[in-house]
Structure formats: structure tokens, C-alpha cells
Amino acid sequence: AGRALAVVALGAGAMTATHVVDGFFWLAAREAGFRPLRALACLSGGTHAQGLVAHAVVALIAAAIL
């Protein structure tokens, strides 16, 4: 269980930050119709919140099974 949680935690950390060198950044910016600075502000906040929630879920699962 510990190894699986470590893998899930790594995945949560990997999706926490996006930047202009990330293909997802440009795809999301184009589809949303945002200019680069606006997209950076919106996507950075959104992916940060997503990562925090993912880490909280991993911590809850770890507390429940370990």
C-alpha cells in the first residue's frame, strides 16, 4: 500500500504546476481563448488548487489504511 500511495503522491505533485513550456498550458489557453499572461494566472491557480486537493486526498487515504 505504501508504494502505491507514493506513486499516487508523485502523480499529484506532477499535476500541481503548469508553465508555458507545458503543452497542456497552450492547449488550455487556446481553448479558453486566453492570452498568455491571463492563461498563466488562471492555470497556475487552478492547477495549484487541484494539486492541493489531490495531496489532501492522498493524506486521507494514507491515514485510513496505514
Side-chain angles (χ1 to χ4, degrees):
R3 288 183 181 176
L5 279 174
V7 170
V8 172
L10 285 169
M15 68 182 189
T16 299
T18 186
H19 198 58
V20 295
V21 296
D22 188 4
F24 171 71
F25 173 84
W26 292 107
L27 177 67
R30 186 185 69 211
E31 292 300 317
F34 290 155
R35 292 194 168 144
L37 286 177
R38 174 80 173 145
L40 187 59
C42 292
L43 290 174
S44 294
T47 57
H48 185 70
Q50 176 181 328
L52 288 175
V53 170
H55 280 287
V57 169
V58 169
L60 289 173
I61 293 171
I65 65 172
L66 294 180

